[in-house]
């Protein structure tokens, strides 16, 4: 698809793209910011040099407990998913068991030797809604999420 860049948040490694000629059903976010510990989640991605991939896992925590930084990008906090991901899957959606968007994959967690830990970070849908609603008309769950925070979600 061709399209235009609506806005970029380089420090957060996020962009809004408006695609031309794309028809289909828009993704719907979950109505609530908090996802319960242990809830089933799945992601869609395309790891480097591989085909389309779906991953299944559980929410470990709505909070990592400290800022998340990788390269020049970063977030004040992030969800922790018990789910292995690979390079190239960042930016992929994270859905709950009802098919509603709850976040976006941003990084894989590795041990000090650089080996994956079957854990991933994701930005919660509240952050996505805030960025999206600053630049586009928002309604429904997107508008509701924009005003929510994950600060009151259980720590894990």
């Amino acid at each position: 698809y061709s399209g235009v860049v609506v806005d970029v948040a380089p420090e957060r490694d996020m962009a809004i793209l408006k695609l031309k000629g794309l028809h289909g059903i828009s993704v719907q976010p979950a109505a609530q910011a908090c996802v319960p510990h242990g809830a089933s989640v799945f992601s869609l991605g395309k790891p480097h040099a591989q085909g389309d991939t779906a991953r299944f896992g559980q929410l470990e925590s709505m909070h990592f407990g400290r800022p998340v930084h990788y390269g020049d990008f970063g977030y004040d906090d992030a969800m922790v998913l018990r789910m292995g991901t690979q390079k190239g899957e960042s930016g992929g959606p994270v859905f709950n068991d009802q098919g509603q968007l709850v976040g976006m994959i941003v990084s894989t967690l590795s041990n000090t030797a650089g080996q994956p830990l079957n854990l991933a970070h994701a930005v919660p849908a509240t952050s996505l809604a805030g960025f999206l609603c600053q630049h586009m008309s928002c309604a429904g769950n997107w508008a509701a999420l924009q005003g929510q925070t994950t600060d009151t979600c259980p720590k894990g």
Side-chain angles (χ1 to χ4, degrees), residues 123-145:
V123 174
T126 53
S127 294
L128 302 174
F131 182 50
L132 182 69
C133 293
Q134 285 177 356
H135 304 283
M136 301 181 75
S137 172
C138 287
N141 288 355
W142 286 113
L145 279 175

Side-chain angles (χ1 to χ4, degrees), residues 112-130:
T112 55
Q115 298 176 338
L117 294 174
N118 196 38
L119 295 169
H121 283 137
V123 174
T126 53
S127 294
L128 302 174

Side-chain angles (χ1 to χ4, degrees), residues 28-42 57-64 78-83 93-104 122-128 145 148-156:
Q28 294 299 311
Q32 299 298 317
C34 299
V35 177
H37 171 78
S40 295
V41 294
F42 69 95
Q58 296 84 37
L59 180 88
E60 184 66 26
S61 177
M62 285 299 297
H63 304 280
F64 186 56
M79 300 163 64
V80 180
L81 309 176
R82 185 155 300 283
M83 171 191 303
V94 178
F95 298 101
N96 63 17
D97 61 358
Q98 296 171 357
Q100 299 166 322
L101 185 77
V102 295
M104 178 182 75
V123 174
T126 53
S127 294
L128 302 174
L145 279 175
Q148 293 182 38
T149 177
T150 59
D151 292 346
T152 58
C153 296
K155 298 291 180 192

Side-chain angles (χ1 to χ4, degrees), residues 2-107:
S2 63
V4 296
V5 176
V6 175
D7 193 27
V8 176
E11 72 285 354
R12 301 193 78 200
D13 196 18
M14 280 191 212
I16 298 172
L17 306 174
K18 186 170 186 170
L19 302 177
K20 297 177 185 172
L22 178 65
H23 301 284
I25 299 170
S26 298
V27 66
Q28 294 299 311
Q32 299 298 317
C34 299
V35 177
H37 171 78
S40 295
V41 294
F42 69 95
S43 70
L44 301 174
K46 191 170 190 108
H48 293 293
Q50 296 182 33
D52 296 334
T53 302
R55 303 223 186 256
F56 298 88
Q58 296 84 37
L59 180 88
E60 184 66 26
S61 177
M62 285 299 297
H63 304 280
F64 186 56
R66 64 179 186 263
V68 174
H69 294 283
Y70 54 101
D72 294 332
F73 312 112
Y75 302 90
D76 294 337
D77 199 358
M79 300 163 64
V80 180
L81 309 176
R82 185 155 300 283
M83 171 191 303
T85 59
Q86 297 178 4
K87 281 190 170 200
E89 291 184 65
S90 60
V94 178
F95 298 101
N96 63 17
D97 61 358
Q98 296 171 357
Q100 299 166 322
L101 185 77
V102 295
M104 178 182 75
I105 298 287
V106 292
S107 62

